[in-house]
Amino acid sequence: MTLWMVRHAQPLIAPGVCYGATDVPADAQATLVAATALSLVLPQGLLLLSSTLLRCEQLTTQLLTLRPDLTCKMDERLTEMDFGCWEGQRWDAIPHAELERWTDDFAQHACGGAESVDQFMLRVSAVWDEQAERGQDAVWITHAGVIRAALLLASGTREVSQANQWPQQAPAFGQWCSLATPERN
């Protein structure tokens, strides 16, 4: 089974700002460009699961206009990681000691008092497992963090204890990759 992992278009927020769960819009023109390109390559009749954050909803709406054959389901579990009180701050303004606490206890530390990597992986894993149970190709419109979590899941990794285990690469804004999901017996 193939899972298409699509990252939303460029958000309208200053570079270097932590905006994980913050509901910011994406650039409308970049969203249209991404939807148009994606509409040309996706197979017919896929199930489309989308994050409920506006920047993903925009891409979902544009894509469904171009591809009404897709079946859509919004899923809040596909939202980006929640960084709590760090949201809206510049990454370089977050106290170094706070970031160090996170990297020292990467799995369990609740970033900005909100969500830990373990909690984040559990919610993405739940969607991943449901996808494997369905046994059909699908497309997720989501965020870089969710795509990185899915990359780990595709490699068989469900828990990440150290920061250096977290994938650095993810598709650029408005781009995608495809992963093979394991079949369930």
Side-chain angles (χ1 to χ4, degrees), residues 38-161:
L38 188 58
S39 73
L40 298 173
V41 297
L42 289 178
Q44 290 290 311
L46 288 181
L47 171 63
L48 184 157
L49 299 176
S50 177
S51 161
T52 57
L53 294 178
L54 180 58
R55 55 195 183 267
C56 291
E57 285 183 7
Q58 289 174 270
L59 182 52
T60 297
T61 299
Q62 289 284 351
L63 182 58
L64 290 173
T65 299
L66 298 166
R67 291 289 304 275
D69 62 288
L70 302 175
T71 302
C72 179
K73 178 182 173 195
M74 303 304 287
D75 194 326
E76 66 184 12
R77 297 173 298 173
L78 293 180
T79 60
E80 185 60 279
M81 188 166 174
D82 187 346
F83 291 99
C85 67
W86 297 356
E87 298 273 339
Q89 293 188 55
R90 291 190 50 77
W91 281 102
D92 58 13
I94 298 169
H96 180 73
E98 283 294 309
L99 293 171
E100 197 169 271
R101 275 195 278 283
W102 181 26
T103 57
D104 288 348
D105 186 14
F106 192 67
Q108 298 295 318
H109 183 76
C111 301
E115 187 171 31
S116 71
V117 171
D118 272 358
Q119 292 168 322
F120 180 66
M121 286 295 294
L122 280 172
R123 71 175 160 90
V124 176
S125 294
V127 185
W128 179 270
D129 291 344
E130 288 171 14
Q131 184 62 50
E133 286 291 327
R134 273 188 214 99
Q136 66 186 62
D137 293 351
V139 57
W140 290 6
I141 296 182
T142 190
H143 311 270
V146 173
I147 295 171
R148 289 178 177 119
L151 289 168
L152 288 167
L153 293 166
S155 73
T157 303
R158 290 188 171 257
E159 295 178 7
V160 180
S161 59

